[in-house]
Amino acid sequence: MSVQVEAVKVLRRLVGDVHRYIEHITLAAAPPLSVSPQSDPASRPVAPPPSAPLAVSSLPIQLALLHDDVLLERFHFDRATIAYLCSLLRPHVSNTWMQVEGTVCAALAFYTTGAFQSPMGDCFEIDPAVVRNVVELVSDALVTVSDQFIKFPSLAVQKQVQQDFLSVAGFPGVVGALGCTHIAIRRPEVNPNLYVNRKHFYSMNLQITTTADCRITSAVARFPGSFSCAHVLQHSPLEALCSKGGLGKGHLIAHSGYPLHQWLLPPLQNAQTKADVRYNEALRQSHAVVGRTVRLLKARFPCLDRAVLPLQCSPRASARVILACCVLHNIALLRDVKLPGHGAGALADLTALAHLPSAHDDYNCESDDEALSDSEEIVALRVTAGQEKQAFTIQQFFA
């Protein structure tokens, strides 16, 4: 541990030397200031106080000094993807605190640590209050562009998605795997009990659907942790899309905490025949992609993993951070960005993620019959249609 402390001290001294060098060449290149005797003293440039942190305008230069492996370790994205994110978000994150590159990297540093006082803030002397504002700014920007990266597959694309799922365990017609996970947050100031989940910690309940290759196709993060997965589904845009025929002849698969629909197939509660058992096993294997996606999401963005630290934001800000991480997750998959310490690409070592500590333990499998406010007649019709779809699937593919 003492070696690590000394290494940090050396790094900070090195960064300080770079700061002083950059400040020196900047001042040397600047023209001398001249103030007219008749000018108003209030209009003269005011030098920053000696205790103020250095202008973060030099931050991109400092980042350029970091090795590619250090960038990946610190931000969980490579240099090319960081540049891509800066270009993507530039219209949305311009501010008076720092340049776009510094803004994006400060937010990425938060996503990888969960702390506003991150190693990046320590080394580059960025005030935690500025980092908090920057994280909210970048998170809002990522949510603004989320429709470009989180898209539910269209009817034309669903055939390929179904084929990908079919190759996993032979379960037909799957357009997506549906599930929820709890994201721990600090104790909210308003209605805190609403955010206490069944495991007795404060959380937001994140609902996602995924493809077979762990790509997130829909995400809802605004519901408190006390709300069940069935309640979240019923009040999300996904339920409306599916009820209006947005899946064609396909369907979603889910765990047993979800209600049966014609477009949503959970496991059989009481598997009686060999075909029933095969149906449940194929569904379980296909649905496991949700757990892998959650693990991958929390491994790349530890701010979402309560084993690291609950999100130190309000519920609204936490929901934006969660959605921002979902967007970045899909960008990482699109650009095949590896995780530090893992395989050559984002999906190269997913089997290793099965052994990561306990992101899956916060998987929400809780049912809530009271959340379903439909009349008994509508529920009966829904269950009957779902049972017919379930029976047809078992008879055609597992008998």
Side-chain angles (χ1 to χ4, degrees):
M1 181 61 70
S2 60
V3 175
Q4 294 177 345
V5 172
E6 289 301 320
V8 170
K9 290 180 179 178
V10 171
L11 176 61
R12 289 184 178 177
R13 285 197 295 270
L14 177 61
V15 170
D17 292 340
V18 174
H19 274 177
R20 286 187 289 275
Y21 174 71
I22 293 172
E23 186 177 25
H24 169 73
I25 62 176
T26 301
L27 291 175
L33 292 176
S34 61
V35 180
S36 171
Q38 291 80 19
S39 63
D40 183 359
S43 65
R44 299 176 185 177
V46 179
S51 60
L54 290 174
V56 287
S57 61
S58 61
L59 189 55
I61 301 176
Q62 296 160 0
L63 289 172
L65 299 176
L66 296 178
H67 190 274
D68 290 351
D69 291 341
V70 176
L71 282 177
L72 186 63
E73 182 69 32
R74 184 165 294 179
F75 305 117
H76 291 190
F77 283 95
D78 55 37
R79 193 181 302 275
T81 302
I82 292 175
Y84 168 75
L85 290 172
C86 292
S87 175
L88 173 72
L89 301 178
R90 189 175 300 276
H92 308 285
V93 299
S94 298
N95 62 82
T96 59
W97 306 304
M98 62 181 74
Q99 293 183 5
V100 170
E101 292 81 0
T103 298
V104 171
C105 288
L108 292 179
F110 170 80
Y111 299 146
T112 58
T113 63
F116 292 108
Q117 188 63 56
S118 66
M120 177 179 170
D122 289 342
C123 291
F124 298 136
E125 302 179 12
I126 305 175
D127 189 274
V130 173
V131 176
R132 183 182 293 272
N133 291 334
V134 162
V135 168
E136 291 186 4
L137 181 67
V138 174
S139 297
D140 287 346
L142 285 165
V143 172
T144 299
V145 302
S146 62
D147 288 347
Q148 299 179 38
F149 302 99
I150 300 179
K151 301 178 182 179
F152 199 81
S154 63
L155 290 174
V157 177
Q158 287 177 16
K159 291 183 179 179
Q160 182 58 51
V161 175
Q162 292 180 27
Q163 190 62 38
D164 293 342
F165 271 107
L166 186 65
S167 65
V168 173
F171 202 101
V174 180
V175 176
L178 171 67
C180 286
T181 186
H182 289 292
I183 307 297
I185 62 172
R186 72 182 184 189
R187 185 182 188 273
E189 297 179 358
V190 180
N191 297 325
N193 292 338
L194 196 61
Y195 296 86
V196 179
N197 61 41
R198 72 186 192 283
K199 293 195 172 185
H200 310 294
F201 64 90
Y202 301 104
S203 70
M204 305 298 291
N205 195 357
L206 169 64
Q207 173 187 281
I208 59 172
T209 55
T210 76
T211 58
D213 60 355
C214 295
R215 181 168 51 85
I216 296 174
T217 56
S218 71
V220 177
R222 67 179 184 272
F223 288 91
S226 65
F227 287 23
S228 73
C229 51
H231 180 99
V232 174
L233 173 63
Q234 188 185 27
H235 295 87
S236 70
L238 179 66
E239 202 271 350
L241 170 71
C242 297
S243 297
K244 294 177 181 178
L247 305 188
K249 295 183 179 179
H251 44 259
L252 302 174
I253 53 175
H255 57 67
S256 57
Y258 283 95
L260 177 64
H261 287 270
Q262 187 175 15
W263 46 265
L264 178 60
L265 301 183
L268 291 165
Q269 294 292 338
N270 297 302
Q272 298 179 349
T273 67
K274 291 183 179 179
D276 292 347
V277 173
R278 286 193 289 268
Y279 165 90
N280 276 1
E281 180 60 21
L283 190 151
R284 183 192 66 79
Q285 292 183 29
S286 301
H287 187 263
V289 67
V290 178
R292 291 196 297 273
T293 303
V294 168
R295 278 191 170 89
L296 188 57
L297 181 68
K298 294 185 179 181
R300 188 175 296 278
F301 307 110
C303 69
L304 304 183
D305 189 350
R306 69 182 172 109
V308 176
L309 188 71
L311 270 176
Q312 300 299 298
C313 307
S314 67
R316 181 193 177 280
S318 294
R320 310 290 279 186
V321 168
I322 295 167
L323 289 178
C325 290
C326 290
V327 174
L328 291 171
H329 165 87
N330 278 3
I331 292 175
L333 293 185
L334 284 170
R335 298 180 64 87
D336 198 29
V337 180
K338 69 178 181 179
L339 273 172
H342 288 80
L347 295 175
D349 206 8
L350 275 176
T351 45
L353 291 175
H355 305 293
L356 286 175
S358 79
H360 196 72
D361 286 352
D362 293 336
Y363 195 53
N364 189 355
C365 299
E366 183 180 14
S367 60
D368 185 1
D369 294 336
E370 294 181 0
L372 303 177
S373 57
D374 293 331
S375 67
E376 293 183 2
E377 293 80 3
I378 293 177
V379 171
L381 289 173
R382 169 179 60 76
V383 171
T384 298
Q387 288 173 336
E388 291 176 355
K389 181 70 170 288
Q390 207 170 41
F392 174 81
T393 302
I394 294 172
Q395 178 63 34
Q396 291 294 315
F397 296 93
F398 299 101

